[in-house]
Amino acid sequence: MPFPFFNAHHSPVGAFATFTFGMKGPKGGLGHELAGPANEPIYIGVETIDGGHYQALPFYGEAHTSAENFDVEGLGDMQFTTAVKPFADEDIVRNFGCAVDEWCAGDLSFRVYSPPQIVPDPKGEDARHVLTPSLIVELSVDNRKGQHDRKAFFGYAGSDRTVGMRILDEPGMVGIGQGTSIAIATEDEGVYAGLGWQPEAILNPRLNENLGFMLGSIGLLVGVVPAGKIRTFTFAVAFFKEGTATTGIETRYLYRRWFNRIEEVLQASFENAESLISEAHGFDDALANQLQGSRRLMAAHAIRSYYGSTQLLEDRLGRPLWVVHEGEYRMMNTFDLTVDQAFFELVMHPWTVRNVLDQFVERYSYNDGVRFPGDSEIHPGGLAFTHDMGVSNAFAPATRSGYEQAGLTGCFSYMSSEELTNFVLAAGLYISHTQDNDWAQSRLETLLACLQSLENRDNPRSDHRNGVMGLDANRCAGGSEITTYDSLDTSLGQARNNLYLAVKGWATYLVLEHLFRQLGDESAANRSLLQAERAAQTIKGAQDEDGMLPAIMGEGVESRIIPAIEALVYPKVIGIEIKDSELVNVLKKHFETILVPGICLFENGGWRLSSTSKNSWLSKIYLCQYVAEQMLDQEEDNRADDVHWSWLMDDDNAYFAWSDQMLQGKAVGSRYYPRGVTSVLWMAKGDRPLRQIEEHLAGNRVKCESLP
């Protein structure tokens, strides 16, 4: 296991930027809007106690000079003797939290602070201090045993081929950066900046006037620790993008309201540093009070990856647009991630859930007919939502996604039925948590259209309905709809008559009934209840004599799936009482029967979502673990947690930070991914889960209104 050497995100909220590092070698770096790590050398080190040589954390590789491009015969004398060596692995200790990541080696300590933020709605509140696109970093050296002053340093080699490295020229601040988009700076006295092809050219310069060598690809900030003293240097790592941020919809980053240059971001970072550090320690204390062992590590890792994918924009009218990019795929606001990430977002910044739902209604919804399998006749369908809103900073045209294609039966087909359930469930979570009745009333017509569309996708004739999706969207053009488990086999990939989606549909109808009764539409509530009852009867009727349910009902697919229980989370969190219902008892029996080796457990104890596939999604395992423990009376499975953590720590996986999709423990897709924040539900042990999580975190948080 490569611990402590695994990549992790360190990201400001809403900046779609990350300081990723942790793997040995140049496999991390300062990334902006990337699909993976920037693969830049990071230099963090200190002069040895005898002087003249240096030890560094092992996040760099051999420095490649470009001197040969100029000095073609090798006659120059720019080369420096290597003086920087890595600390030995056994001398390095990592203390990994969600908000503080600390590395200790010898008498050096390096800490990065990136606390999750309570983000106020920028439509009506000043969110400047929360949305400053930067991180705070501390580098400490204990030189109390030293007889000589020693240098300490922090910097990197930029990978952007379009702009060069530079030294910042700003009063009261010394820094390095690349172009106008990424910079590191400090306000500490006595620190100097330098550029070079080798770190030694900056640490041991022949002449100080050569430190501004603008052809150099490496930039370092270097300070002195006096003999007999401990000194801590404070740095800000900042990200900035000027101008237009996206196409399709013209936007800019919302932080542009307050900042016109990256230097202004750096200045604001130092103003906020003390509060940010306090909040970071508080958040990690709160998380550690609720989660231990592998669960704490996985939750911390997943929350970091979520923030690395977040982007807060504003359009030309000044309206905020919240976007979560889908990890390595960079699809924008993928709806089947939105509904899973909502549990975390509702605790930290609930307005973003509403914001995304509004975007879907206003631009990424459409009306579509439906077809029976193998039949070309088009029947009434109704409202549908796209799978996503675009890809890689390019918003898709209205009513279209970047993903869905016609005429397919597998990956890249339409997810119309599942996205309908996702709208209802996310809306139900938002309304129940925030009690935003005005918004609920404003979306009554949308919810009614969702009900009608779901009914038609069951069967256009009311007397033929069984509560389960049986028709495919006309946009499939003869293909068939799929689920969020798009790259899995039929057991979880096919939408029609799928057990996972049937239970999700049942939960959706219960949520609709709950919402319609609150909104005073008894007729719609009764229609929703009828559909929920039909779905429950259909699912119960598929149970075999051993208590198991087939993955696809009525089509001879006998695979067994854990996510049959997944959708129980929604009524639980919303507060709809279902625990003692007959269907829940059926699902409990199914789950207990299949969670055994040879069916839905790997031999090492890891969870296998489908008995006929070795492909599992960690975010979904986390959800199902919560359901199993809180609704099906299962005990925490620490052995499984350790196995799932070992998947993330696998030598081939650790580079990608937190990854979702694991093929027998190997990350094969959904890498560098945000959806693992489903793990936040582990913190809730009783009723009103989201309120519980808020209470766990609130006592250790610095609220945004108390910031300077």
Side-chain angles (χ1 to χ4, degrees), residues 342-343 345-346 350-355 357-358 361 422-448 450 511-520 570 573-576 688 690-691:
F343 304 108
E345 292 176 340
L346 287 169
W351 69 270
T352 63
V353 176
R354 182 192 70 230
N355 183 274
L357 293 175
D358 285 342
V361 173
N422 289 338
F423 180 88
V424 172
L425 296 171
L429 290 168
Y430 171 77
I431 295 166
S432 69
H433 183 67
T434 64
Q435 298 298 301
D436 187 348
N437 296 320
D438 289 341
W439 186 84
Q441 192 66 50
S442 75
R443 290 302 178 202
L444 174 58
E445 292 303 317
T446 305
L447 293 169
L448 286 167
C450 288
V511 171
L512 282 170
E513 183 207 3
H514 177 77
L515 293 174
F516 288 137
R517 296 211 191 279
Q518 282 189 337
L519 293 168
Y570 302 107
V573 172
I574 289 170
I576 302 169
R688 297 175 62 80
L690 301 187
R691 293 292 179 215

Side-chain angles (χ1 to χ4, degrees), residues 213-416:
F213 182 58
M214 292 184 68
L215 292 177
S217 58
I218 298 171
L220 297 181
L221 296 174
V222 185
V224 175
V225 183
K229 301 289 185 180
I230 298 174
R231 186 175 184 188
T232 296
F233 302 92
T234 301
F235 302 95
V237 178
F239 304 90
F240 184 77
K241 183 170 183 175
E242 54 192 4
T244 302
T246 60
T247 61
I249 302 174
E250 185 178 331
T251 69
R252 67 174 187 172
Y253 278 91
L254 192 135
Y255 57 66
R256 290 296 316 283
R257 290 183 181 180
W258 309 292
F259 307 112
N260 291 314
R261 301 184 303 139
I262 198 167
E263 288 83 357
E264 295 174 3
V265 174
L266 290 164
Q267 289 169 345
S269 304
F270 294 119
E271 295 171 8
N272 300 340
E274 185 177 345
S275 295
L276 192 85
I277 292 170
S278 175
E279 189 165 357
H281 285 298
F283 191 96
D284 277 353
D285 288 346
L287 195 66
N289 286 339
Q290 297 302 316
L291 299 176
Q292 291 78 42
S294 296
R295 286 201 172 180
R296 183 188 66 81
L297 292 168
M298 283 190 284
H301 203 16
I303 292 170
R304 288 180 172 279
S305 279
Y306 166 81
Y307 278 114
S309 289
T310 61
Q311 183 179 48
L312 182 52
L313 308 166
E314 66 176 355
D315 65 16
R316 296 182 67 180
L317 299 177
R319 295 175 300 192
L321 296 176
W322 179 259
V323 176
V324 180
H325 287 253
E326 194 181 344
E328 66 171 331
Y329 306 137
R330 290 189 290 177
M331 283 180 280
M332 303 164 72
N333 286 340
T334 301
F335 213 165
D336 35 313
L337 272 70
T338 296
V339 72
D340 289 338
Q341 290 155 185
F343 304 108
F344 180 72
E345 292 176 340
L346 287 169
V347 171
M348 304 303 297
H349 31 80
W351 69 270
T352 63
V353 176
R354 182 192 70 230
N355 183 274
V356 172
L357 293 175
D358 285 342
Q359 291 182 62
F360 270 109
V361 173
E362 293 163 12
R363 183 177 170 93
Y364 293 104
S365 62
Y366 59 94
N367 279 281
D368 192 23
V370 292
R371 301 183 189 182
F372 284 98
D375 191 342
S376 61
E377 183 180 355
I378 302 172
H379 299 274
L383 181 67
F385 298 95
T386 62
H387 166 270
D388 59 77
M389 298 182 185
V391 183
S392 304
N393 286 336
F395 279 98
T399 78
R400 293 287 173 178
S401 74
Y403 172 99
E404 291 160 309
Q405 298 284 294
L408 303 176
T409 59
C411 210
F412 305 111
S413 186
Y414 282 82
M415 298 187 191
S416 309

Side-chain angles (χ1 to χ4, degrees), residues 79-230:
Q79 189 74 24
F80 282 74
T81 302
T82 299
V84 179
K85 294 184 178 180
F87 285 102
D89 290 359
E90 58 268 24
D91 293 335
I92 299 172
V93 175
R94 185 179 193 177
N95 299 308
F96 180 71
C98 180
V100 185
D101 193 3
E102 180 183 51
W103 295 77
C104 300
D107 47 22
L108 175 146
S109 298
F110 182 76
R111 294 171 294 277
V112 183
Y113 299 98
S114 54
Q117 301 283 300
I118 296 174
V119 183
D121 186 344
K123 197 172 182 178
E125 301 178 64
D126 183 3
R128 175 179 184 267
H129 296 291
V130 175
L131 297 175
T132 300
S134 64
L135 313 168
I136 293 297
V137 173
E138 289 182 331
L139 174 59
S140 299
V141 174
D142 183 350
N143 196 24
R144 287 176 295 181
K145 296 180 181 178
Q147 302 299 310
H148 308 282
D149 294 352
R150 297 161 66 193
K151 294 178 179 177
F153 57 92
F154 173 41
Y156 77 111
S159 60
D160 188 339
R161 293 181 292 176
T162 65
V163 290
M165 296 292 290
R166 67 182 179 110
I167 293 176
L168 276 63
D169 183 15
E170 196 74 11
M173 183 189 305
V174 59
I176 51 134
Q178 191 167 29
T180 61
S181 62
I182 294 175
I184 303 172
T186 183
E187 293 181 330
D188 293 342
E189 293 183 1
V191 176
Y192 72 84
L195 304 176
W197 280 325
Q198 297 173 260
E200 291 82 3
I202 306 167
L203 296 168
N204 298 328
R206 295 188 181 107
L207 295 169
N208 286 344
E209 52 261 48
N210 292 339
L211 287 170
F213 182 58
M214 292 184 68
L215 292 177
S217 58
I218 298 171
L220 297 181
L221 296 174
V222 185
V224 175
V225 183
K229 301 289 185 180
I230 298 174

